[in-house]
Amino acid sequence: MATAIRMRGMVGALGSVAAGSMAANLAAYVVYVGAGRWLAPGEYGQFARLLSAMLILGVPALALQSVIAREVVRERGSGLVRVTATTVTAVIVLALVAVPVVVVVAQTGVSATAAALAAAPLLAVIAAGQGVLQGLGEFRVLAWVLGAVGIARSVPMLVAFALGAGPTWGLTVGTLGTAVAAAAVWSAVGAVRRDNCGRTRRLPGGNGADPGTRTGVSAAGVLRASQVQLVLIVAVSIDLLLSGTVLRPDDAGVYALGAVATKAAFWLPQAIGVVFYPRLADPARSRTALRQAVTVVASIGTILTVAVAALGPLCPLVVGDAYRPLVGLLWLFAYTGSAMAVLQVLLLSAIAADRTRASAVTWLVVGIEVVVIVFVVGSVVALAVTAAVAVTTAVAATGIDCVRAMSRTHMQADEVRRTA
């Protein structure tokens, strides 16, 4: 009976978070498709590269959410406000440094780049609130938050592009929408705080808790998690970021639209990682949780890749004849995103166990991928194949490493229990 109740709770949580994630992702995909319709291929390529750059600069936010969620699960969530402020300050500095770098590397305009990267500190504020909700298992509230954040960020851009705005103004209103989303997230956290006032388990640092009485969220923990999140985001984005350098402008625009399928396949199963993460952070349940999460994410990816292969011929009808080269290639983009989703689950398990050295092999693979792209790749097909081979290698190597590490951990735990 207890198992059945837990399963129903898990299914309900997955359904809620999936719905929230789907609303956010749908809004983002509509923006991508709308931008492909309303922007010229060159402008669209710039827009897509800047969103990829934003993913990289959003790494500290992702790490902050993961670390806060992990420590709240373990009831060590003190220091949240201090670490959030430190992270936001660091991201502001990184954004200022990154603007000229992105302009040169990604071949984008200064004003458009500044408009895009200005959202990065706001993402850290959003992530901190989402980490609290995730760690507490408040998945229904988190689902509403995910959907609201995605819509607040995407809808203003869609409206701007529909009215004829270029990348700069579209990204500017998107940043303004992100500010609104940040306020909404912390309003939700405040509501949960009030609801938890009379419960045993409380929000970190709230309702009389002393933030200095025990170890909690730390800047060092966020930094360690950041390098794991960074390698994942770099792996997801590096081919698109470098496409403007190794491909002609029109081909880079075609590749950018194909990368929408990669992002769709990558972000679609996000609910799995969000809901399973608290279990991955629990040493007693981590091995089973990882196996279940990988199985579900891989199954979704397989179905999605087959579906995209079947729907590929519709691509020119939806976004225009200029993107006809994607007809027979779109499935490969979907496969790459699906494999990235599996890699994300593996790396999340490493963060949950605070075993962040597991990212080393992925860093090595990404480094080799960059060399191949810069010195070998010269076409859309070659770039897509390179990305697919790289992520497949990373998944295989990281998966083996994670299984070995978990086996060692459980063997040590069993030995301790036998000798106790």
Side-chain angles (χ1 to χ4, degrees):
M1 179 65 71
T3 301
I5 292 174
R6 286 197 297 270
M7 285 300 297
R8 284 198 296 271
M10 176 66 71
V11 171
L14 282 172
S16 297
V17 175
S21 298
M22 190 174 299
N25 290 333
L26 180 61
Y29 302 149
V30 169
V31 170
Y32 270 105
V33 174
R37 170 65 65 180
W38 291 312
L39 297 178
E43 288 183 320
Y44 183 81
Q46 179 182 198
F47 169 71
R49 291 194 296 275
L50 285 173
L51 290 187
S52 292
M54 259 304 304
L55 283 177
I56 294 176
L57 201 59
V59 162
L62 296 173
L64 181 64
Q65 177 174 340
S66 297
V67 171
I68 287 175
R70 181 185 71 208
E71 299 306 326
V72 170
V73 167
R74 299 175 180 180
E75 299 188 357
R76 302 184 308 188
S78 60
L80 185 154
V81 174
R82 181 184 66 253
V83 173
T84 299
T86 301
T87 303
V88 169
T89 302
V91 172
I92 290 173
V93 174
L94 288 173
L96 292 173
V97 173
V99 169
V101 176
V102 173
V103 167
V104 173
V105 173
Q107 299 292 297
T108 56
V110 175
S111 58
T113 304
L117 301 191
L122 297 168
L123 295 180
V125 175
I126 290 170
Q130 291 181 166
V132 172
L133 297 173
Q134 184 180 9
L136 289 174
E138 296 283 351
F139 293 118
R140 293 188 183 278
V141 178
L142 181 59
W144 282 103
V145 163
L146 291 173
V149 169
I151 292 171
R153 295 184 63 197
S154 299
V155 170
M157 285 192 286
L158 183 65
V159 173
F161 291 141
L163 294 175
T168 299
W169 281 108
L171 290 164
T172 298
V173 297
T175 295
L176 294 175
T178 305
V180 173
V185 169
W186 279 97
S187 294
V189 172
V192 171
R193 183 190 298 271
R194 290 188 294 273
D195 289 344
N196 277 267
C197 282
R199 301 179 188 177
T200 302
R201 189 179 188 188
R202 302 175 183 225
L203 286 175
N207 304 317
D210 181 6
T213 57
R214 55 185 174 179
T215 301
V217 185
S218 68
V222 174
L223 186 61
R224 289 194 300 272
S226 290
Q227 64 88 15
V228 181
Q229 293 283 9
L230 178 61
V231 73
L232 178 67
I233 297 303
V234 170
V236 171
S237 308
I238 195 64
D239 57 329
L240 182 57
L241 281 174
L242 293 178
S243 65
T245 302
V246 301
L247 301 178
R248 295 176 303 164
D250 285 354
D251 285 344
V254 170
Y255 192 89
L257 191 64
V260 174
T262 300
K263 295 182 186 301
F266 175 64
W267 292 113
L268 185 63
Q270 290 302 293
I272 309 301
V274 171
V275 173
F276 272 88
Y277 185 81
R279 291 170 177 256
L280 292 171
D282 182 351
R285 300 185 291 176
S286 59
R287 185 160 56 179
T288 300
L290 179 60
R291 183 176 64 251
Q292 293 172 339
V294 168
T295 299
V296 174
V297 171
S299 299
I300 292 172
T302 300
I303 295 170
L304 186 62
T305 300
V306 173
V308 169
L311 296 174
L314 299 178
C315 182
L317 299 177
V318 176
V319 294
D321 202 59
Y323 299 97
R324 185 168 294 279
L326 292 174
V327 168
L329 197 60
L330 207 57
W331 70 270
L332 187 58
F333 286 94
Y335 165 78
T336 300
S338 300
M340 286 289 181
V342 174
L343 180 62
Q344 181 182 44
V345 171
L346 295 172
L347 293 178
L348 279 176
S349 73
I351 295 175
D354 203 8
R355 190 177 49 80
T356 53
R357 287 178 295 179
S359 64
V361 66
T362 306
W363 276 116
L364 176 61
V365 171
V366 170
I368 296 172
E369 180 185 7
V370 170
V371 172
V372 173
I373 291 174
V374 171
F375 293 102
V376 178
V377 167
S379 68
V380 172
V381 173
L383 186 54
V385 170
T386 299
V389 171
V391 68
T392 301
T393 304
V395 167
T398 305
I400 292 171
D401 180 71
C402 284
V403 169
R404 287 177 175 174
M406 283 188 169
S407 296
R408 287 195 300 268
T409 300
H410 281 268
M411 287 176 61
Q412 292 169 357
D414 291 341
E415 183 65 25
V416 169
R417 283 194 292 269
R418 283 196 297 269
T419 57

